Amino acid sequence: MTGVAIGAAMAGLRPVHVHIRMDFLMLCMNQIVNMAFEGPLHVRRYGARSMVVRSMIGKPGAGSAASQGLYSMFMHVPGLKVVAPSTRTT
């Protein structure tokens, strides 16, 4: 589904893709980083210009295995913006 969202963004649409857990973002990190944002910079093409990937952390009953915050891995990707609330009310 991540690849479909990236393709839609490259076609000019503005997809909102939702991952149930942030841990699953590691499975599609190659698509998000290399295909959507970094890859087009190397071949001088336009990449995914407007795309939202939403993920949740720490759902009740998830345990420690599904409560990882992987923000720092995505923060260092050129062209990718990471937005995270600082409290649960924001």
Side-chain angles (χ1 to χ4, degrees):
M1 294 307 296
T2 304
V4 173
I6 291 170
M10 288 183 176
L13 300 175
R14 295 182 176 214
V16 176
H17 181 53
V18 179
H19 279 272
I20 297 173
R21 304 252 194 258
M22 181 168 266
D23 297 342
F24 297 140
L25 284 176
M26 294 301 295
L27 297 173
C28 65
M29 191 169 180
N30 177 41
Q31 291 179 337
I32 293 172
V33 173
N34 294 324
M35 294 181 185
F37 293 98
E38 276 189 6
L41 294 175
H42 297 298
V43 293
R44 297 179 188 203
R45 292 185 203 156
Y46 292 105
R49 293 294 162 215
S50 182
M51 178 177 150
V52 174
V53 178
R54 184 177 182 268
S55 183
M56 294 174 263
I57 301 174
K59 195 173 180 181
S64 62
S67 298
Q68 298 178 33
L70 305 173
Y71 306 116
S72 61
M73 292 185 171
F74 292 99
M75 287 173 52
H76 299 290
V77 178
L80 186 65
K81 295 179 183 175
V82 177
V83 178
S86 59
T87 65
R88 62 183 178 179
T89 59
T90 57

